[in-house]
Amino acid sequence: VVNEVPVLSSLSPTFTTIGSQAITLYVDGEHFSEGYSVVRWNGEERPTNFISQTQLSIQLSPEDLDTAGTATVEVYTSEPGGGLSAKSIDFPIIDFSPANGAKLALTTVFFSWDSTPGATKYKIELYSDSALTKPVFSAKTNLLVYAYLTPLVDGKTYYWRIQPMYAGVWSGEWSPVLY
């Protein structure tokens, strides 16, 4: 049996926010081989869970996600045959404001976040509860900032998240909940 060169097609989730908790990153593609294919995170081989010939996963720790920027994900399949995936996929770790747990100096708030590569629009939602059942507002913007000028309750914790749109389609994937 000769292993084929792996081909990458997508990641899930497609992005996360700086300071996120540990997550499982799913790598989708073709020609993955059990016991031979390994995911590389920024060039470093990671313990890899073989799910199928079309999906692998790795665990990302909070330390992996503590700096804003873009990580590179590749798959290497060892001999016989195999090789490094011809295409890598970038995994954005975006920064945002206000920071989690920040106390606002005013009762209005300006939200901002880093760009998610390929996104053309963003949806932002604000909730008054951590279960995200009591919406305060939902808005769409082409910008990387949103000003919510309606006064908020002083001393109350609010929860927010963003969702990117790619090629006219909402990704279905939200950022981790921020507060």
Side-chain angles (χ1 to χ4, degrees):
V1 175
V2 176
N3 294 318
E4 295 185 58
V5 174
V7 176
L8 304 185
S9 60
S10 65
L11 302 175
S12 180
T14 58
F15 72 100
T16 196
T17 54
I18 188 172
S20 294
Q21 297 298 314
I23 62 172
T24 300
L25 180 66
Y26 294 93
V27 180
D28 295 314
E30 298 177 3
H31 311 304
F32 301 150
S33 299
E34 187 168 13
Y36 295 94
S37 295
V38 178
V39 175
R40 290 183 177 174
W41 173 262
N42 287 330
E44 176 188 316
E45 290 191 1
R46 293 298 183 93
T48 301
N49 180 34
F50 177 85
I51 298 170
S52 71
Q53 292 180 343
T54 61
Q55 190 173 61
L56 305 170
S57 71
I58 61 170
Q59 294 298 312
L60 297 176
S61 70
E63 292 76 25
D64 292 323
L65 309 172
D66 68 357
T67 304
T70 302
T72 302
V73 177
E74 304 168 301
V75 173
Y76 176 75
T77 300
S78 60
E79 295 182 350
L84 184 62
S85 52
K87 171 184 149 186
S88 62
I89 298 180
D90 289 338
F91 184 76
I93 303 166
I94 64 171
D95 201 1
F96 58 91
S97 178
N100 276 339
K103 302 291 184 210
L104 302 177
L106 305 170
T107 57
T108 57
V109 63
F110 289 85
F111 299 95
S112 67
W113 53 90
D114 289 342
S115 172
T116 303
T120 56
K121 197 173 214 177
Y122 296 90
K123 190 183 302 182
I124 179 171
E125 294 182 344
L126 180 70
Y127 293 86
S128 63
D129 66 313
S130 62
L132 308 182
T133 60
K134 298 176 184 170
V136 175
F137 81 87
S138 178
K140 297 172 184 160
T141 179
N142 296 343
L143 305 174
L144 299 174
V145 63
Y146 185 83
Y148 186 68
L149 302 177
T150 302
L152 297 171
V153 176
D154 188 29
K156 178 162 180 50
T157 300
Y158 290 89
Y159 303 85
W160 64 288
R161 63 186 183 170
I162 60 167
Q163 179 186 47
M165 174 187 273
Y166 302 102
V169 178
W170 293 107
S171 72
E173 184 179 327
W174 289 91
S175 69
V177 176
L178 308 166
Y179 60 94

